[in-house]
Amino acid sequence: MLKKISPLLGPETLATLRIMGHGDKIAIVDGNYPAENHAKRLIRADGLALIPILEGILDILPIEQKTEAIFRAVNADSPTTPDPIHLQMIEACAKYEHRVVPLAPDLFYSQVQEAFAVIATSEPELYGNIILTKGIIHPTK
């Protein structure tokens, strides 16, 4: 166990977050997402829901500030209306003053395929998928 780090973030997740560089993306996807086919680096988070993983990561990962940096999937049947899981993502990100941008399915899939890594959760909600872009930590003076 580590202080101030969610115990849901295992060694592989922590190591991946650490080695990611500025501008690298990490996707956190639901249990139905074809993660094995889309991931350059796949991290299994079997048995875990998306929101606790997202919150654990947001607590330690600097998010890009200069451009849109957090993207979520949309429900293909109602792309302009957020599903309950999307509202939870928006709420979690708002705690850290981050905005979440909806992304059309084809664009979302291509972004995941280009991501540095993909965390495959067991999230049961459909379209429970989000992408985070790593930012920088400015030096202290």
Side-chain angles (χ1 to χ4, degrees):
M1 299 291 284
L2 298 170
K3 292 166 117 183
K4 301 182 183 179
I5 295 177
S6 169
L8 299 180
L9 303 180
E12 188 177 8
T13 299
L14 293 172
T16 299
L17 295 173
R18 177 65 183 93
I19 64 173
M20 287 172 61
H22 174 238
D24 283 341
K25 293 176 174 30
I26 188 162
I28 311 167
V29 299
D30 65 34
N32 287 297
Y33 193 90
E36 187 76 32
N37 289 331
H38 285 190
K40 290 181 184 177
R41 292 171 186 82
L42 180 63
I43 300 167
R44 303 294 315 180
D46 296 310
L48 300 176
L50 184 133
I51 297 300
I53 297 289
L54 174 61
E55 289 174 336
I57 290 173
L58 288 171
D59 199 39
I60 61 173
L61 184 73
I63 300 296
E64 174 61 53
Q65 298 294 313
K66 293 186 178 184
T67 63
E68 293 177 335
I70 301 178
F71 304 94
R72 67 166 174 84
V74 298
N75 185 323
D77 295 328
S78 56
T80 59
T81 305
D83 287 353
I85 189 69
H86 301 139
L87 297 175
Q88 292 174 38
M89 290 175 187
I90 291 165
E91 181 181 342
C93 292
K95 292 177 192 174
Y96 296 89
E97 301 180 4
H98 300 303
R99 188 171 90 86
V100 180
V101 178
L103 205 56
D106 55 338
L107 295 173
F108 190 88
Y109 270 41
S110 68
Q111 288 289 312
V112 173
Q113 291 170 335
E114 293 299 317
F116 186 85
V118 176
I119 300 173
T121 70
S122 291
E123 176 60 53
E125 295 297 321
L126 300 177
Y127 308 103
N129 309 304
I130 192 165
I131 301 168
L132 309 173
T133 308
K134 187 173 183 180
I136 61 171
I137 297 175
H138 293 280
T140 56
K141 295 184 179 188

